[in-house]
Amino acid sequence: MVFDYARLPREFPRHFLPAELNFDWEGLEPIFGALAGRPISGPKDLERWMSDEAELDSFITEQKALRYFNSTRQTDNPEYTKAYELYLEVLEPKIKVAGFELLKKYASSRFRTDLPQSEYGLEDRRRASAVSVFRPENVELEKQDSALSQEYYRIAGAMTVEFRGQERTLQQMSKFLEEPDRALREEAWRTSNGRALKDRASLDSIYTKMVALRDRVSRNAGFANYRDYMFVKKDRFDYAPADCVRFHDAVAECIVPLSREIDEERRENLGLDTLRPWDLRVDPGGRPPLRPFDDVAELVSGAKRVVGGIDGQLAGFFERMVNLELLDLESRKGKAPGGYQEELTEVRLPFIFMNAAGKDSDVRTLLHECGHSFQIFLMREKGLPFFNSGVNLPSEFAEVASMSMEMVSGEHYEGVYYDREQSRRSNWDEAVGNVKLFAWVATIDAFQHWVYTHPGHTPEERTAAWVKIYNRFCGLEGYEGLEDSRAYRWQRQLHLFEVPFYYIEYGIALTGALGIWSRYKKDPKDAIEAYKGALSLGASRPIPELFAAAGLDWDFGPAALRRVAEGLRSEIREYS
Ligand SMILES: [Zn+2]
């Protein structure tokens, strides 16, 4: 199952790197050295230098991605795991230190200010910010953090259960939660959660170590805590921690009541006294679960038609991904959980990884990742190298690209995956899912704010804080007798472990994507043109300008969320 890279077309030839280059320190060191030692005697030199440096960066990012693909496609192949870990442990620390030398060289160049600010201003700001937070002594700590991430991955990837005579991953188990048979749902839920809880002590200890490391990293860089450090590190130039807290409050005020209304209606429709955690994914009308496809081939051929119904150019991109085999979609043993889209930065092509099990949400996930991929295609021909690479894309807008596609695509499922009634059900599910997602984003983000502004907390204090935050944003499902599952639910959110502070982006992007969805329903052509135009800007503009280019307000405060809640409420009524 090795990723067959050689067959991919190379449409962007190298100008600076040698044609043959090994991905090891022997190969890379002289190149870093050449860039560090090259004299820069004018703005043209600096531009050339930056473009060469970006080429090196693309090579490194792509090689890392290839190792990551292999290790996630086959977590049970020790060779792939070893190759990725070797990169993280040996090569990445060296690259970071050498990269910092280049960053300093750029920062101290007097020609910086001679470059046209309209083109280079934002990149200049990013680099200045990166110089300000980098500390060589943090490289070792970050390496330890990566190793802990790998450990989390191994533990989470190995979680399987015996259920009804078959070994299944927890992702495969989630399918049973859609079954009308309540006893079956309960058994499946208890089996999965029981399995996850078996590892709670090891996951707790991994997280405790991570939080301590991250706190040290932030203090080394001169910050009061890791939250404040990450806002700078993640180039969050356009919002502050206080804006996130306003978002949490707005979700509590505008979204949580709607979420509980939905649950109350669900409870009534299901004829239950109390809603339990295994009652949330089943159709409240008692109908069998939506099963849009039997196998991956059907999923893909359906997606071709769906995207074709949206836009010809986007359909061409998808066709290209299929032909180049840039999709790994089916769930199988040994495959890491979750789904992602990653760019191969040298060939500038996207790759989609997911675990399809025949569910409605699998179709949405594929279209979500397609949205990310379309952005890679739309920006690949454009402008300066660091602006058309997925690496620099602000997630707050990149997730607008993906979530919009996830929602808009639902307008085209009828006659492809579903009949009319099923397609309405799917859109109803999507709208309800968005309400729940807002609440979940607030939960995860508020939890991270608490964790990193209370360094030195005990695991017991952390659990107590989690439960309090969880209860603030959750629905009406009751956890009597299941308190442990609620207390450790956060352990199944891999972002907390692997990409700290990455989550609020989904909430911000969701407000934007909902705007595109409603515009699409009124004027599809116009909405898709604005969507494509904004995506093609890549990372070249600040986030508020990207939102504006897509015709969206840059606002995720109370006023925006009040509007969003109204919109979702009427959408849910429309599809009921
Ligand atoms: Zn995404």
Side-chain angles (χ1 to χ4, degrees):
M1 232 337 121
V2 66
F3 187 82
D4 179 14
Y5 173 74
R7 67 190 150 75
L8 297 179
R10 307 184 148 271
E11 295 156 298
F12 300 88
R14 292 175 182 173
H15 300 286
F16 164 64
L17 297 181
E20 293 297 322
L21 179 57
N22 285 339
F23 191 56
D24 50 31
W25 193 236
E26 266 168 32
L28 292 177
E29 191 178 21
I31 296 174
F32 274 105
L35 283 167
R38 188 197 296 179
I40 295 174
S41 47
K44 281 275 158 251
D45 280 0
L46 182 58
E47 272 189 294
R48 180 79 253 162
W49 183 88
M50 287 173 83
S51 139
D52 291 349
E53 190 207 17
E55 199 176 297
L56 171 62
D57 199 43
S58 293
F59 170 73
I60 291 169
T61 310
E62 177 168 290
Q63 292 299 317
K64 176 183 177 178
L66 288 169
R67 278 152 188 77
Y68 181 68
F69 292 172
N70 286 335
S71 76
T72 54
R73 277 152 63 98
Q74 233 178 298
T75 56
D76 48 6
N77 183 326
E79 250 177 65
Y80 296 153
T81 315
K82 224 173 102 189
Y84 187 58
E85 284 176 355
L86 206 64
Y87 163 77
L88 293 175
E89 278 163 30
V90 180
L91 206 47
E92 191 171 73
K94 290 193 165 86
I95 289 171
K96 278 186 185 170
V97 172
F100 181 56
E101 290 309 312
L102 299 186
L103 209 50
K104 278 194 296 189
K105 185 181 172 82
Y106 167 83
S108 63
S109 168
R110 61 192 175 90
F111 303 110
R112 244 173 95 178
T113 46
D114 295 338
L115 299 180
Q117 286 308 291
S118 57
E119 276 181 78
Y120 284 90
L122 183 58
E123 178 62 14
D124 185 66
R125 194 173 175 193
R126 285 190 191 124
R127 288 178 187 226
S129 162
V131 172
S132 78
V133 295
F134 187 90
R135 297 292 180 280
E137 63 269 33
N138 280 341
V139 171
E140 171 59 29
L141 302 180
E142 286 167 4
K143 189 177 108 178
Q144 293 171 22
D145 195 332
S146 296
L148 289 167
S149 256
Q150 285 293 101
E151 219 177 305
Y152 172 78
Y153 223 91
R154 257 194 308 278
I155 294 174
M159 283 188 192
T160 58
V161 292
E162 272 291 310
F163 192 71
R164 309 247 150 153
Q166 227 181 305
E167 188 183 10
R168 300 170 204 261
T169 64
L170 297 197
Q171 286 200 331
Q172 287 163 339
M173 287 297 288
S174 65
K175 205 169 162 174
F176 293 108
L177 297 179
E178 300 179 353
E179 291 296 331
D181 177 354
R182 195 179 192 210
L184 171 62
R185 293 201 304 272
E186 176 172 351
E187 193 192 339
W189 191 91
R190 285 183 185 272
T191 307
S192 292
N193 275 265
R195 174 63 190 85
L197 281 176
K198 273 195 185 153
D199 287 317
R200 75 183 133 178
S202 17
L203 295 181
D204 226 12
S205 130
I206 289 177
Y207 198 58
T208 300
K209 285 182 206 157
M210 283 177 149
V211 172
L213 277 174
R214 291 167 186 175
D215 188 57
R216 271 175 70 195
V217 163
S218 68
R219 286 172 198 277
N220 284 345
F223 288 83
N225 59 60
Y226 187 69
R227 180 196 64 183
D228 296 351
Y229 165 82
M230 283 304 272
F231 269 71
V232 179
K233 171 107 174 159
K234 288 171 76 59
D235 293 340
R236 291 182 174 173
F237 302 134
D238 304 293
Y239 61 104
D243 296 310
C244 299
V245 173
R246 276 177 75 225
F247 172 82
H248 308 155
D249 293 343
V251 168
E253 186 203 316
C254 313
I255 302 288
V256 170
L258 175 57
S259 158
R260 293 182 181 165
E261 271 170 45
I262 294 167
D263 283 357
E264 180 52 24
E265 212 179 298
R266 166 180 289 276
R267 187 192 64 75
E268 275 172 28
N269 288 339
L270 289 172
L272 301 171
D273 292 333
T274 9
L275 218 48
R276 303 285 271 163
W278 46 83
D279 297 323
L280 303 176
R281 294 295 309 140
V282 64
D283 180 61
R287 291 165 292 193
L290 292 171
R291 292 288 177 250
F293 58 92
D294 288 328
D295 55 29
V296 160
E298 240 177 83
L299 169 64
V300 170
S301 65
K304 263 190 207 173
R305 291 167 60 199
V306 166
V307 181
I310 298 172
D311 182 76
Q313 187 185 19
L314 300 182
F317 296 152
F318 186 71
E319 185 85 42
R320 198 136 194 243
M321 294 191 74
V322 175
N323 293 340
L324 291 172
E325 292 173 41
L326 293 166
L327 309 166
D328 181 359
L329 308 182
E330 85 278 2
S331 184
R332 56 173 187 268
K333 190 169 174 280
K335 194 169 165 177
Y340 62 77
Q341 180 278 144
E342 278 268 352
E343 183 192 8
L344 288 161
T345 40
E346 259 210 299
V347 292
R348 299 191 197 172
L349 289 167
F351 175 72
I352 295 178
F353 169 99
M354 63 177 277
N355 284 275
K359 296 186 297 181
D360 177 65
S361 60
D362 294 329
V363 175
R364 299 283 178 176
T365 300
L366 175 59
L367 270 300
H368 175 107
E369 305 305 347
C370 278
H372 285 307
S373 307
F374 296 157
Q375 182 159 30
I376 303 299
F377 282 111
L378 283 165
M379 65 187 180
R380 77 200 290 255
E381 314 286 346
K382 293 225 163 184
L384 303 165
F386 29 81
F387 288 152
N388 58 20
S389 160
V391 184
N392 288 328
L393 280 182
S395 310
E396 294 84 350
F397 190 74
E399 295 297 339
V400 174
S402 55
M403 288 177 166
S404 302
M405 201 36 63
E406 180 185 326
M407 293 172 204
V408 158
S409 67
E411 304 299 317
H412 299 271
Y413 294 170
E414 188 183 332
V416 177
Y417 295 115
Y418 299 131
D419 64 24
R420 166 152 295 189
E421 188 210 341
Q422 291 167 328
S423 145
R424 287 171 64 89
R425 270 178 70 188
S426 172
N427 282 324
W428 180 86
D429 249 6
E430 178 72 11
V432 168
N434 287 332
V435 173
K436 298 288 177 183
L437 180 57
F438 269 121
W440 187 244
V441 170
T443 308
I444 294 295
D445 193 57
F447 181 57
Q448 304 206 70
H449 279 245
W450 186 90
V451 163
Y452 294 105
T453 53
H454 294 78
H457 59 255
T458 65
E460 292 72 30
E461 288 166 336
R462 181 164 68 217
T463 306
W466 164 258
V467 171
K468 203 172 149 204
I469 293 166
Y470 187 93
N471 288 341
R472 184 182 183 206
F473 297 108
C474 68
L476 293 181
E477 73 275 21
Y479 284 89
E480 292 71 27
L482 308 167
E483 287 79 6
D484 276 354
S485 282
R486 177 176 49 189
Y488 291 95
R489 174 65 186 81
W490 60 272
Q491 292 187 338
R492 294 173 71 181
Q493 190 61 56
L494 69 91
H495 296 67
L496 292 172
F497 291 82
E498 300 198 338
V499 274
F501 273 102
Y502 187 6
Y503 222 74
I504 186 72
E505 288 89 338
Y506 293 117
I508 296 173
L510 187 48
T511 59
L514 287 167
I516 302 240
W517 189 14
S518 65
R519 188 168 169 189
Y520 185 82
K521 283 195 265 195
K522 287 179 207 124
D523 188 346
K525 235 183 130 71
D526 167 70
I528 289 300
E529 281 318 307
Y531 169 86
K532 290 201 295 185
L535 262 59
S536 69
L537 291 173
S540 66
R541 293 277 161 267
I543 309 167
E545 288 181 35
L546 297 173
F547 270 69
L552 301 166
D553 293 333
W554 168 247
D555 181 8
F556 54 100
L561 285 204
R562 228 163 281 140
R563 272 196 310 276
V564 158
E566 275 320 298
L568 282 169
R569 186 175 271 117
S570 64
E571 208 131 77
I572 288 165
R573 239 179 264 130
E574 182 192 328
Y575 292 122
S576 294

